[in-house]
Amino acid sequence: MMCNSVGSMIVFRSVKSVNEGGGRKTMFTNMGGGIHNLLGNITRKEIDKAGKRKVLAFSVIFSLNIAIGNVSLRHVSVNFNQVMRSLVPAVTIAMGIALGKNISKRRQMAVLPVIIGVAMACYGDMTFTTLGFFYTVFCVLLAALKVVASGEMLTGNLKLHPVDLLGHMAPLAMTQCLFLSVILGEVSDIVSRWKTELSPFVNIYPVLIIMMSGAFSFSLNICSLMANKLTSPLTLCIAANVKQVLMIAMSTFVFGIEITFSNGMGIVVVLIGSSWYSYVSMAEKGLDKISQKETRSNERSGDEEEGAALLSAKQSSPLYQRA
């Protein structure tokens, strides 16, 4: 989360250099120009107390999603975790309907093959404990809630830019993650292994991996939030499920990992299901554009008819005829 906070500050510094540079070329202005072309107009919004409460609540969801997700893997197998996470789109649909979002039946049906396919592709060692099961269910709820909440922050009343949302949220989430890592014993584990394994003077690779992971995390969060803003929370969940399956498919070629017939069929089902979902989404967007055009055309024709009626009434008026 520190990299997310620092990355947001660098982006805002670069954009500010472009706005106030007066034509001078510096490293920050060049960077800011590229960021503007890539991410659009980025502005730092001042939010009120209600907005700050929403950002704080979102940061808590974000932090718990990371912490609970990591903790759940101590008590369940990776396969069980991935199969359960395939349910995130279904939970997202339920949350969207509860918030009054209009999700068509066709789109809901298009989600089913993706969920079933991911469960088939990830099926394997399904060991879990009772505590791990509840952790994983909570993790699924948090993952869906995070996507829905971020969608509201980006397209709702606040309408924050993804970089701006990350800039407001990351410092809060970083503090919360540090607190949770102390409680869960991760900090004490790092301290105990620091001199022998994790110190850069002993082994430089752990520090480099952490720095690269932070940079990739910042890029991933920006891309995820941009995709959420431009599409929908449900579409983002479908993309995440497809990503899981593509990772499994790639691992078979890169690392030579064997998969069962059921896993292979799951990959095929996910690819077909995601294509169907994309087709349904594009078709609905096309219908929305046509209906919007018809509405505007009807409004214009209605205005013209009203104007003609007013002109006719004016011409038939005795005062108009005397003139």
Side-chain angles (χ1 to χ4, degrees):
M1 293 311 301
M2 181 181 293
C3 290
N4 287 275
S5 181
V6 173
S8 301
M9 288 190 288
I10 292 174
V11 170
F12 281 118
R13 177 69 179 86
S14 302
V15 172
K16 186 177 180 180
S17 297
V18 173
N19 296 333
E20 300 178 355
R24 291 183 289 109
K25 293 290 185 180
T26 64
M27 180 187 72
F28 281 109
T29 55
N30 292 332
M31 187 186 301
I35 291 171
H36 184 274
N37 293 333
L38 187 63
L39 300 178
N41 187 29
I42 303 172
T43 56
R44 183 71 167 177
K45 277 190 177 181
E46 294 294 332
I47 54 179
D48 56 14
K49 289 184 178 180
K52 289 179 180 179
R53 286 195 294 269
K54 291 180 180 179
V55 171
L56 177 61
F58 178 63
S59 69
V60 172
I61 296 170
F62 198 95
S63 304
L64 286 176
N65 183 53
I66 296 172
I68 300 300
N70 292 337
V71 171
S72 67
L73 290 173
R74 298 180 184 178
H75 304 277
V76 302
S77 64
V78 175
N79 298 86
F80 179 80
N81 183 275
Q82 295 299 324
V83 169
M84 290 293 290
R85 278 184 172 271
S86 69
L87 298 174
V88 171
V91 180
T92 303
I93 290 174
M95 289 183 178
I97 293 174
L99 290 173
K101 301 291 184 181
N102 183 23
I103 303 174
S104 67
K105 293 292 184 182
R106 289 183 65 195
R107 187 172 292 205
Q108 294 178 36
M109 292 300 296
V111 172
L112 286 177
V114 179
I115 296 174
I116 295 171
V118 173
M120 291 173 61
C122 298
Y123 188 81
D125 177 20
M126 299 295 289
T127 57
F128 62 92
T129 64
T130 303
L131 180 61
F133 175 80
F134 286 109
Y135 271 137
T136 308
V137 170
F138 189 33
C139 186
V140 169
L141 294 174
L142 285 172
L145 186 59
K146 186 190 81 170
V147 177
V148 173
S150 62
E152 288 297 312
M153 302 287 286
L154 296 168
T155 60
N157 294 330
L158 290 178
K159 288 184 172 59
L160 296 174
H161 189 279
V163 178
D164 194 17
L165 174 58
L166 204 59
H168 284 294
M169 183 272 299
L172 298 171
M174 178 179 66
T175 305
Q176 294 158 14
C177 286
L178 181 60
F179 176 73
L180 290 171
S181 64
V182 172
I183 293 177
L184 296 173
E186 294 180 1
V187 172
S188 60
D189 185 47
I190 292 172
V191 171
S192 64
R193 298 167 55 194
W194 181 257
K195 292 183 179 180
T196 57
E197 300 178 44
L198 303 179
S199 172
F201 298 104
V202 176
N203 188 358
I204 192 64
Y205 291 109
V207 175
L208 290 177
I209 290 172
I210 290 174
M211 292 176 65
M212 290 177 60
S213 177
F216 289 145
S217 171
F218 174 69
S219 302
L220 174 63
N221 285 328
I222 292 296
C223 293
S224 175
L225 292 172
M226 284 294 294
N228 198 345
K229 183 179 180 69
L230 297 174
T231 57
S232 69
L234 180 58
T235 301
L236 187 61
C237 291
I238 295 295
N241 275 4
V242 175
K243 176 204 70 176
Q244 291 178 10
V245 170
L246 290 177
M247 287 172 60
I248 296 171
M250 289 176 63
S251 66
T252 61
F253 295 102
V254 177
F255 302 108
I257 298 174
E258 295 184 2
I259 59 174
T260 64
F261 177 77
S262 173
N263 298 144
M265 287 302 298
I267 294 173
V268 174
V269 171
V270 168
L271 294 178
I272 294 173
S274 60
S275 300
W276 181 26
Y277 178 85
S278 299
Y279 171 76
V280 170
S281 299
M282 294 301 294
E284 288 184 355
K285 286 183 180 179
L287 291 174
D288 288 341
K289 288 181 179 179
I290 292 173
S291 63
Q292 288 174 4
K293 287 181 181 179
E294 290 178 349
T295 301
R296 287 196 294 266
S297 177
N298 292 334
E299 288 176 351
R300 283 196 297 268
S301 61
D303 292 339
E304 290 173 358
E305 291 175 0
E306 184 179 354
L310 290 173
L311 179 61
S312 176
K314 181 179 179 181
Q315 289 175 346
S316 61
S317 170
L319 294 175
Y320 182 84
Q321 291 174 358
R322 286 194 199 117

